[in-house]
Coordinates of all heavy atoms in Angstrom, one line a residue:
N1248 N -108.3 19.8 -108.6 CA -107.9 20.8 -109.5 C -108.1 22.2 -108.8 O -109.0 22.4 -108.0 CB -108.6 20.5 -110.8 CG -109.3 21.5 -111.6 OD1 -109.6 22.6 -111.0 ND2 -109.6 21.2 -112.8
A1249 N -107.3 23.1 -109.2 CA -107.3 24.4 -108.6 C -108.7 25.2 -108.8 O -109.1 25.8 -107.9 CB -106.2 25.3 -109.2
N1250 N -109.3 25.0 -110.0 CA -110.5 25.8 -110.2 C -111.7 25.2 -109.4 O -112.5 25.9 -108.8 CB -110.9 25.7 -111.7 CG -110.0 26.5 -112.5 OD1 -109.6 27.6 -112.2 ND2 -109.7 26.0 -113.7
N1251 N -111.6 23.9 -109.2 CA -112.7 23.3 -108.2 C -112.5 23.8 -106.8 O -113.5 24.0 -106.1 CB -112.6 21.8 -108.3 CG -113.1 21.2 -109.6 OD1 -113.9 21.8 -110.3 ND2 -112.6 19.9 -109.9
L1252 N -111.2 23.8 -106.3 CA -111.0 24.4 -105.0 C -111.4 25.8 -104.9 O -112.0 26.1 -103.9 CB -109.5 24.2 -104.7 CG -109.0 24.7 -103.3 CD1 -109.8 24.1 -102.2 CD2 -107.6 24.5 -103.2
V1253 N -111.1 26.6 -105.9 CA -111.5 28.0 -105.9 C -113.1 28.1 -105.7 O -113.6 28.9 -104.9 CB -111.1 28.8 -107.0 CG1 -111.8 30.2 -107.1 CG2 -109.6 29.0 -106.9
D1254 N -113.8 27.3 -106.5 CA -115.3 27.2 -106.4 C -115.7 26.9 -105.0 O -116.7 27.5 -104.5 CB -115.8 26.3 -107.5 CG -115.7 26.8 -108.9 OD1 -115.4 28.0 -109.1 OD2 -115.8 25.9 -109.8
R1255 N -115.1 25.8 -104.4 CA -115.5 25.4 -103.1 C -115.2 26.5 -102.1 O -116.0 26.8 -101.2 CB -114.7 24.2 -102.7 CG -115.2 22.9 -103.3 CD -114.3 21.7 -102.9 NE -114.1 21.6 -101.5 CZ -113.1 21.0 -101.0 NH1 -112.0 20.7 -101.7 NH2 -112.9 21.0 -99.7
L1256 N -114.0 27.2 -102.2 CA -113.7 28.2 -101.3 C -114.7 29.4 -101.4 O -115.1 30.0 -100.4 CB -112.2 28.7 -101.5 CG -111.2 27.7 -101.0 CD1 -109.9 28.1 -101.6 CD2 -111.1 27.7 -99.5
R1257 N -115.0 29.8 -102.6 CA -115.9 30.9 -102.9 C -117.3 30.5 -102.3 O -118.0 31.4 -101.8 CB -116.0 31.2 -104.3 CG -114.8 32.0 -104.8 CD -114.9 32.3 -106.3 NE -113.7 33.1 -106.7 CZ -113.4 33.3 -108.0 NH1 -114.2 32.8 -109.0 NH2 -112.3 34.0 -108.3
G1258 N -117.7 29.3 -102.5 CA -119.0 28.8 -102.0 C -119.1 28.9 -100.5 O -120.2 29.1 -99.9
A1259 N -118.0 28.8 -99.9 CA -117.9 29.0 -98.4 C -117.8 30.5 -97.9 O -117.6 30.7 -96.8 CB -116.8 28.1 -97.8
G1260 N -117.7 31.4 -98.9 CA -117.6 32.8 -98.6 C -116.2 33.4 -98.6 O -116.1 34.6 -98.2
Y1261 N -115.2 32.7 -99.1 CA -113.9 33.2 -99.1 C -113.6 33.9 -100.4 O -114.1 33.5 -101.4 CB -112.8 32.1 -98.9 CG -112.9 31.4 -97.5 CD1 -113.6 30.3 -97.3 CD2 -112.3 32.0 -96.5 CE1 -113.6 29.7 -96.1 CE2 -112.3 31.5 -95.2 CZ -113.0 30.3 -95.0 OH -113.1 29.7 -93.7
K1262 N -112.7 34.9 -100.4 CA -112.3 35.6 -101.6 C -111.1 34.8 -102.1 O -109.9 35.0 -101.6 CB -111.8 37.0 -101.3 CG -112.9 37.9 -100.8 CD -112.3 39.3 -100.6 CE -112.6 39.6 -99.1 NZ -111.9 41.0 -98.8
A1263 N -111.4 33.9 -103.1 CA -110.3 33.0 -103.5 C -110.1 33.2 -105.1 O -111.0 33.6 -105.7 CB -110.8 31.5 -103.3
Y1264 N -108.8 33.0 -105.4 CA -108.5 33.2 -106.8 C -107.2 32.4 -107.1 O -106.6 31.8 -106.3 CB -108.3 34.7 -107.1 CG -107.2 35.4 -106.3 CD1 -105.9 35.5 -106.9 CD2 -107.4 35.8 -105.0 CE1 -104.9 36.2 -106.1 CE2 -106.4 36.4 -104.2 CZ -105.2 36.6 -104.8 OH -104.2 37.2 -104.1
T1265 N -106.9 32.2 -108.4 CA -105.7 31.5 -108.8 C -104.6 32.5 -109.4 O -104.9 33.6 -109.8 CB -106.0 30.5 -109.9 OG1 -106.5 31.1 -111.1 CG2 -107.0 29.4 -109.4
K1266 N -103.4 32.0 -109.3 CA -102.3 32.7 -110.0 C -101.4 31.7 -110.5 O -101.0 30.7 -109.9 CB -101.6 33.6 -108.8 CG -100.5 34.5 -109.4 CD -99.9 35.3 -108.3 CE -98.8 36.2 -108.8 NZ -98.3 37.1 -107.8
S1267 N -101.0 31.9 -111.8 CA -99.9 31.0 -112.4 C -98.6 31.4 -111.9 O -98.2 32.5 -111.8 CB -100.0 31.2 -114.0 OG -101.3 30.8 -114.4
I1268 N -97.8 30.3 -111.6 CA -96.4 30.5 -111.1 C -95.6 29.5 -111.8 O -96.0 28.5 -112.3 CB -96.3 30.3 -109.6 CG1 -96.7 28.9 -109.1 CG2 -97.0 31.4 -108.8 CD1 -96.4 28.5 -107.7
S1269 N -94.3 29.8 -112.0 CA -93.3 28.9 -112.6 C -92.2 28.7 -111.6 O -91.8 29.7 -110.9 CB -92.8 29.6 -113.8 OG -93.7 29.7 -114.8
N1270 N -91.8 27.5 -111.5 CA -90.6 27.2 -110.7 C -89.8 26.1 -111.4 O -90.1 25.7 -112.5 CB -91.1 26.8 -109.2 CG -91.9 25.5 -109.1 OD1 -91.9 24.8 -110.1 ND2 -92.6 25.4 -108.0
T1271 N -88.9 25.4 -110.6 CA -88.1 24.4 -111.2 C -88.9 23.2 -111.6 O -88.4 22.4 -112.5 CB -87.0 24.0 -110.2 OG1 -87.6 23.6 -109.0 CG2 -86.0 25.1 -109.9
V1272 N -90.1 22.9 -111.1 CA -90.9 21.8 -111.5 C -91.6 22.1 -112.8 O -91.9 21.2 -113.5 CB -91.9 21.5 -110.4 CG1 -92.8 20.4 -110.7 CG2 -91.2 21.2 -109.0
G1273 N -91.9 23.4 -113.0 CA -92.6 23.8 -114.2 C -93.7 24.8 -113.9 O -93.6 25.5 -112.9
D1274 N -94.7 24.9 -114.8 CA -95.8 25.8 -114.6 C -96.8 25.2 -113.6 O -97.3 24.1 -113.9 CB -96.4 26.3 -115.9 CG -95.5 27.0 -116.7 OD1 -94.5 27.6 -116.2 OD2 -95.6 27.0 -118.0
L1275 N -97.2 26.0 -112.6 CA -98.2 25.6 -111.6 C -99.3 26.6 -111.5 O -99.1 27.8 -111.8 CB -97.5 25.2 -110.3 CG -96.3 24.3 -110.3 CD1 -95.6 24.3 -108.9 CD2 -96.9 22.8 -110.5
T1276 N -100.4 26.2 -110.9 CA -101.5 27.1 -110.5 C -101.7 27.1 -109.0 O -101.8 26.1 -108.4 CB -102.8 26.7 -111.2 OG1 -102.6 26.7 -112.6 CG2 -103.8 27.7 -110.8
S1277 N -101.4 28.2 -108.5 CA -101.5 28.5 -107.0 C -102.9 29.0 -106.7 O -103.4 29.9 -107.4 CB -100.4 29.4 -106.6 OG -100.4 29.6 -105.2
V1278 N -103.5 28.5 -105.6 CA -104.8 29.0 -105.1 C -104.5 29.9 -103.9 O -103.8 29.6 -103.0 CB -105.7 27.9 -104.7 CG1 -107.0 28.4 -104.1 CG2 -106.0 27.0 -105.9
L1279 N -105.0 31.1 -104.0 CA -104.8 32.1 -103.0 C -106.1 32.6 -102.5 O -107.1 32.6 -103.1 CB -104.0 33.3 -103.5 CG -102.6 33.0 -104.0 CD1 -102.5 33.3 -105.5 CD2 -101.6 33.6 -103.2
V1280 N -106.2 32.9 -101.1 CA -107.3 33.5 -100.5 C -107.0 34.8 -99.8 O -106.0 34.9 -99.1 CB -107.9 32.5 -99.4 CG1 -109.1 33.0 -98.7 CG2 -108.1 31.1 -100.1
G1281 N -107.8 35.7 -100.0 CA -107.6 37.1 -99.3 C -107.7 38.2 -100.4 O -108.4 38.0 -101.4
P1282 N -107.1 39.3 -100.2 CA -106.1 39.6 -99.3 C -106.7 40.2 -98.0 O -107.9 40.6 -97.9 CB -105.3 40.7 -100.0 CG -106.3 41.4 -100.8 CD -107.3 40.4 -101.3
W1283 N -105.9 40.2 -96.9 CA -106.2 40.9 -95.6 C -105.1 41.9 -95.4 O -103.9 41.7 -95.6 CB -106.3 39.8 -94.5 CG -107.5 39.0 -94.7 CD1 -108.8 39.3 -94.3 CD2 -107.6 37.7 -95.3 NE1 -109.7 38.3 -94.6 CE2 -108.9 37.3 -95.2 CE3 -106.6 36.8 -95.8 CZ2 -109.3 36.0 -95.7 CZ3 -107.0 35.6 -96.3 CH2 -108.4 35.2 -96.2
I1284 N -105.5 43.0 -94.8 CA -104.5 44.1 -94.5 C -103.7 43.7 -93.3 O -102.5 43.9 -93.3 CB -105.2 45.5 -94.3 CG1 -106.0 45.7 -95.6 CG2 -104.3 46.5 -93.8 CD1 -106.4 47.1 -95.8
E1285 N -104.3 43.1 -92.3 CA -103.6 42.8 -91.0 C -103.1 41.4 -91.1 O -103.9 40.4 -91.5 CB -104.5 42.9 -89.8 CG -105.0 44.4 -89.6 CD -103.9 45.3 -89.2 OE1 -103.0 44.8 -88.5 OE2 -104.0 46.4 -89.6
R1286 N -101.9 41.1 -90.8 CA -101.3 39.7 -90.8 C -102.0 38.9 -89.8 O -102.1 37.7 -90.0 CB -99.8 39.8 -90.6 CG -99.1 38.5 -90.8 CD -97.6 38.6 -90.7 NE -96.9 37.4 -91.0 CZ -96.6 36.9 -92.1 NH1 -96.9 37.6 -93.2 NH2 -96.1 35.7 -92.3
S1287 N -102.4 39.5 -88.7 CA -103.1 38.7 -87.6 C -104.5 38.1 -88.2 O -104.8 37.0 -87.9 CB -103.3 39.5 -86.4 OG -104.1 40.6 -86.7
A1288 N -105.1 38.9 -89.0 CA -106.4 38.5 -89.6 C -106.1 37.3 -90.6 O -106.8 36.3 -90.7 CB -107.1 39.6 -90.4
A1289 N -105.0 37.4 -91.4 CA -104.6 36.4 -92.3 C -104.3 35.1 -91.5 O -104.7 34.0 -92.0 CB -103.4 36.8 -93.1
A1290 N -103.6 35.2 -90.4 CA -103.3 34.0 -89.6 C -104.5 33.4 -89.1 O -104.6 32.1 -89.0 CB -102.3 34.4 -88.5
E1291 N -105.6 34.2 -88.7 CA -106.8 33.6 -88.2 C -107.5 32.8 -89.4 O -108.1 31.6 -89.2 CB -107.7 34.6 -87.7 CG -107.3 35.2 -86.4 CD -108.2 36.3 -85.8 OE1 -109.3 36.4 -86.2 OE2 -107.7 37.2 -85.1
Y1292 N -107.6 33.4 -90.5 CA -108.2 32.7 -91.7 C -107.4 31.5 -92.0 O -108.0 30.5 -92.5 CB -108.3 33.7 -92.8 CG -109.6 34.6 -92.7 CD1 -109.5 35.8 -92.2 CD2 -110.8 34.1 -93.0 CE1 -110.6 36.6 -92.1 CE2 -112.0 34.8 -92.9 CZ -111.9 36.1 -92.4 OH -113.0 36.9 -92.3
Q1293 N -106.1 31.6 -92.0 CA -105.3 30.4 -92.3 C -105.6 29.2 -91.4 O -105.8 28.1 -92.0 CB -103.8 30.7 -92.1 CG -102.8 29.6 -92.5 CD -101.4 29.8 -92.1 OE1 -101.1 30.6 -91.2 NE2 -100.5 29.2 -92.8
K1294 N -105.8 29.4 -90.2 CA -106.3 28.4 -89.2 C -107.6 27.9 -89.6 O -107.8 26.7 -89.6 CB -106.2 28.8 -87.8 CG -106.7 27.8 -86.9 CD -106.2 28.0 -85.4 CE -106.7 26.9 -84.4 NZ -107.1 25.7 -85.0
E1295 N -108.5 28.8 -89.9 CA -109.9 28.4 -90.2 C -109.9 27.6 -91.5 O -110.6 26.6 -91.5 CB -110.6 29.7 -90.6 CG -112.2 29.6 -90.5 CD -112.8 31.0 -90.6 OE1 -112.8 31.8 -89.6 OE2 -113.3 31.3 -91.7
L1296 N -109.1 27.9 -92.5 CA -109.1 27.2 -93.7 C -108.4 25.7 -93.5 O -108.9 24.7 -94.1 CB -108.2 27.9 -94.8 CG -108.9 29.1 -95.4 CD1 -107.8 29.9 -96.1 CD2 -110.0 28.6 -96.3
Q1297 N -107.5 25.7 -92.6 CA -106.9 24.4 -92.3 C -107.9 23.5 -91.6 O -108.0 22.3 -91.8 CB -105.7 24.5 -91.4 CG -104.5 25.1 -92.1 CD -103.3 25.4 -91.2 OE1 -103.4 25.4 -90.0 NE2 -102.2 25.7 -91.8
D1298 N -108.7 24.1 -90.6 CA -109.7 23.3 -89.9 C -110.8 22.9 -90.9 O -111.3 21.8 -90.8 CB -110.3 24.1 -88.8 CG -109.2 24.3 -87.7 OD1 -108.2 23.6 -87.7 OD2 -109.4 25.2 -86.8
E1299 N -111.3 23.9 -91.7 CA -112.6 23.6 -92.5 C -112.3 22.8 -93.8 O -113.1 21.9 -94.2 CB -113.2 24.9 -92.9 CG -114.5 24.8 -93.6 CD -115.1 26.2 -93.8 OE1 -114.7 27.2 -93.2 OE2 -116.1 26.2 -94.6
F1300 N -111.1 23.0 -94.4 CA -110.8 22.3 -95.6 C -109.6 21.4 -95.6 O -109.3 20.9 -96.6 CB -110.6 23.4 -96.8 CG -111.8 24.2 -97.1 CD1 -112.1 25.3 -96.5 CD2 -112.6 23.8 -98.1 CE1 -113.2 26.1 -96.8 CE2 -113.8 24.4 -98.4 CZ -114.0 25.6 -97.8
M1301 N -109.0 21.3 -94.5 CA -107.8 20.5 -94.2 C -106.7 20.9 -95.3 O -106.1 20.0 -96.0 CB -108.1 19.0 -94.3 CG -109.0 18.6 -93.1 SD -109.0 16.8 -92.9 CE -110.3 16.3 -93.9
L1302 N -106.5 22.2 -95.5 CA -105.6 22.7 -96.4 C -104.3 23.4 -95.7 O -104.5 24.3 -94.9 CB -106.2 23.8 -97.3 CG -107.3 23.4 -98.2 CD1 -107.9 24.6 -98.8 CD2 -106.7 22.5 -99.3
P1303 N -103.2 22.8 -95.9 CA -102.0 23.5 -95.3 C -101.8 24.8 -96.2 O -102.2 24.8 -97.4 CB -100.9 22.6 -95.5 CG -101.3 21.7 -96.7 CD -102.8 21.7 -96.6
G1304 N -101.3 25.8 -95.7 CA -101.1 27.1 -96.4 C -100.0 28.0 -95.8 O -99.6 27.7 -94.7
D1305 N -99.6 28.9 -96.6 CA -98.6 29.9 -96.2 C -99.2 31.3 -96.3 O -100.0 31.5 -97.2 CB -97.4 29.8 -97.0 CG -96.7 28.5 -97.0 OD1 -96.5 28.0 -95.8 OD2 -96.3 27.9 -98.0
I1306 N -98.7 32.2 -95.5 CA -99.2 33.5 -95.6 C -98.1 34.2 -96.5 O -96.9 34.2 -96.1 CB -99.3 34.2 -94.3 CG1 -100.4 33.5 -93.4 CG2 -99.6 35.7 -94.4 CD1 -100.6 34.0 -92.0
V1307 N -98.5 34.8 -97.6 CA -97.7 35.5 -98.5 C -98.1 37.0 -98.6 O -99.3 37.3 -98.5 CB -97.6 34.8 -99.9 CG1 -97.0 33.4 -99.7 CG2 -98.9 34.8 -100.5
S1308 N -97.2 37.8 -99.0 CA -97.5 39.2 -99.3 C -98.3 39.3 -100.6 O -98.1 38.6 -101.6 CB -96.3 40.1 -99.4 OG -95.6 40.1 -98.3
Y1309 N -99.4 40.2 -100.6 CA -100.2 40.4 -101.8 C -99.5 41.2 -102.8 O -98.8 42.2 -102.5 CB -101.4 41.1 -101.4 CG -102.4 41.4 -102.4 CD1 -103.2 40.3 -103.1 CD2 -102.6 42.6 -103.0 CE1 -104.0 40.5 -104.1 CE2 -103.5 42.9 -104.1 CZ -104.2 41.9 -104.5 OH -105.1 42.0 -105.6
E1310 N -99.4 40.8 -104.0 CA -98.8 41.5 -105.1 C -99.8 41.9 -106.1 O -100.6 41.1 -106.6 CB -97.7 40.6 -105.7 CG -96.6 40.1 -104.8 CD -95.6 39.2 -105.4 OE1 -95.7 39.1 -106.7 OE2 -94.8 38.6 -104.7
I1311 N -99.8 43.2 -106.5 CA -100.6 43.7 -107.5 C -100.0 43.5 -108.9 O -98.9 43.9 -109.1 CB -100.9 45.1 -107.3 CG1 -101.6 45.4 -105.9 CG2 -101.8 45.8 -108.4 CD1 -101.7 46.8 -105.5
D1312 N -100.8 42.7 -109.7 CA -100.3 42.5 -111.1 C -100.5 43.7 -111.9 O -101.5 44.4 -111.9 CB -101.1 41.3 -111.7 CG -100.7 40.0 -111.1 OD1 -99.6 39.9 -110.6 OD2 -101.5 39.1 -111.1
Q1313 N -99.5 44.1 -112.7 CA -99.6 45.3 -113.5 C -99.4 44.9 -115.0 O -98.8 44.1 -115.4 CB -98.6 46.3 -113.1 CG -98.9 46.8 -111.7 CD -98.2 48.1 -111.4 OE1 -97.5 48.7 -112.3 NE2 -98.2 48.4 -110.1

């Protein structure tokens, strides 16, 4: 579950949070980590997360909710 994953990531020191998204499958909860200003830093953390948590992931632009 997404909340458990966020708790694990935060426990490991990552800035993790969830965001609700809707697509053709329905409503989903996405787990995001970051943000980082430099894309290169995001790429390093992406590899770290893959190694430490075996999580595949994508780098996406940070969007401020208003």
Side-chain angles (χ1 to χ4, degrees):
N1248 134 342
N1250 291 324
N1251 289 337
L1252 178 55
V1253 167
D1254 290 343
R1255 286 180 46 216
L1256 290 164
R1257 287 180 179 168
Y1261 294 99
K1262 296 182 240 175
Y1264 59 99
T1265 61
K1266 183 175 183 178
S1267 297
I1268 59 170
S1269 296
N1270 65 16
T1271 56
V1272 176
D1274 295 332
L1275 302 171
T1276 302
S1277 183
V1278 175
L1279 298 121
V1280 180
W1283 290 279
I1284 297 194
E1285 298 292 327
R1286 188 171 184 85
S1287 60
E1291 289 178 26
Y1292 279 100
Q1293 180 187 29
K1294 177 160 178 24
E1295 198 174 284
L1296 288 165
Q1297 288 174 348
D1298 293 345
E1299 188 173 346
F1300 292 93
M1301 295 198 273
L1302 294 173
D1305 297 314
I1306 297 174
V1307 297
S1308 295
Y1309 181 72
E1310 296 178 13
I1311 298 173
D1312 292 332
Q1313 296 195 10

